[in-house]
Amino acid sequence: MPVLDRGLLADDAVSGARLLVGAMLVRGTGPNARVGRIVEVEAYVGREDLACHARFGQTKRNGVMFGRPGVAYVYLVYGMHNCLNVVAETDGKAAAVLIRAVEPVAGVGEMRRARTDLAAQRARNRGPAAVVAAVARIAALPAWRLASGPGLVCDAYKISRDDDGVDLCDSSSQLRLETSANAEQLELVSGARIGIDYAPEPWRSIPWRVFAAGHRSLSRGGAA
DNA sequence: GCAAAGATTTGCT
DNA sequence: GCAAATCTTTGCC
């Protein structure tokens, strides 16, 4: 499938968010390519949005968010998990769409391997038994739960700060967005964003989270 | 310079 | 259901 049209992300981030649900997140090419359908996202819109990383202006971390749309903004949260965003709106405006959940479509083995590697690495401090338990836990997961959370998407696709600034609308990028033939089959619903209790109203409750109604691959807490 | 908190996930009580 | 893990960025002295 062709890469997503950058122009679809250039206007406002909430519209961009609605267009991203149903689109495909792809890493690599050929038989080992990882492909998944995006089923849950959140829009973060500019300096005025007091839940957005841009609320303190441009910094070293969020720099790409101020640049051209269609570029990846990847940051580390809680010291351990990466989160992938798609930059939206035009140059100079700081907006992005957080990819919260993906339904794996192809490359499931690669995703599970990546999840297993990272889970084993994290459990290493707690001893060999913990590593075995962590590996077994990932092995028991159904494919549709392999990327059902913002940190898990990055784990499954091995996305890290190294991917910050990658152009997701370039067909030559290893990590990119592609269109989907039947995206319109999803029933879109919106709700308040998750994990932003630090933000004051109205930002805390504004329904800028967009997701596929009733989808089994939604993030934890993402069903409502 | 230092203290605090975070767009999360996991494991244990 | 709650707290730990873990480290970068931000905010204040």
Side-chain angles (χ1 to χ4, degrees):
Chain A
M1 298 297 287
V3 290
L4 200 75
D5 178 11
R6 192 188 312 279
L8 298 176
L9 301 165
D11 290 330
D12 86 281
V14 180
S15 301
R18 303 190 78 85
L19 290 163
L20 280 170
V21 175
M24 295 295 187
L25 180 64
V26 183
R27 162 146 257 164
T29 54
N32 285 335
R34 277 170 266 204
V35 182
R37 180 189 305 276
I38 296 168
V39 296
E40 183 185 349
V41 303
E42 284 175 357
Y44 288 87
V45 190
R47 299 171 136 99
E48 294 177 7
D49 177 2
L50 295 184
C52 181
H53 286 168
R55 66 189 180 279
F56 299 121
Q58 186 165 0
T59 65
K60 184 173 182 184
R61 174 175 68 164
N62 66 20
V64 300
M65 213 174 13
F66 289 73
R68 71 198 294 227
V71 168
Y73 165 45
V74 183
Y75 65 91
L76 185 67
V77 68
Y78 296 112
M80 30 174 37
H81 298 291
N82 291 110
C83 291
L84 170 68
N85 297 255
V86 181
V87 175
E89 307 203 1
T90 53
D91 225 336
K93 291 191 178 181
V97 178
L98 170 69
I99 306 300
R100 283 195 62 88
V102 166
E103 176 194 19
V105 171
V108 172
E110 295 295 313
M111 295 186 193
R112 194 182 298 276
R113 175 170 359 206
R115 288 285 312 273
T116 302
D117 287 349
L118 290 167
Q121 196 171 355
R122 286 192 199 108
R124 228 172 50 193
N125 296 346
R126 308 201 324 274
V131 172
V132 172
V135 168
R137 183 180 173 279
I138 304 297
L141 284 178
W144 47 273
R145 289 291 280 271
L146 287 175
S148 58
L152 304 181
V153 170
C154 288
D155 281 2
Y157 281 79
K158 272 229 157 66
I159 293 168
S160 70
R161 298 289 301 272
D162 293 342
D163 296 296
D164 191 52
V166 167
D167 188 354
L168 300 171
C169 295
D170 183 339
S171 60
S172 68
S173 294
Q174 282 297 300
L175 186 66
R176 59 197 186 276
L177 293 163
E178 295 186 359
T179 58
S180 167
N182 50 354
E184 63 281 354
Q185 291 182 357
L186 300 175
E187 181 193 347
L188 298 192
V189 187
S190 57
R193 294 172 291 181
I194 296 174
I196 56 159
D197 289 346
Y198 58 87
E201 296 292 359
W203 312 112
R204 190 200 308 241
S205 302
I206 198 165
W208 283 350
R209 186 166 57 90
V210 182
F211 57 100
H215 200 285
R216 61 185 182 176
S217 296
L218 293 176
S219 69
R220 186 170 128 175

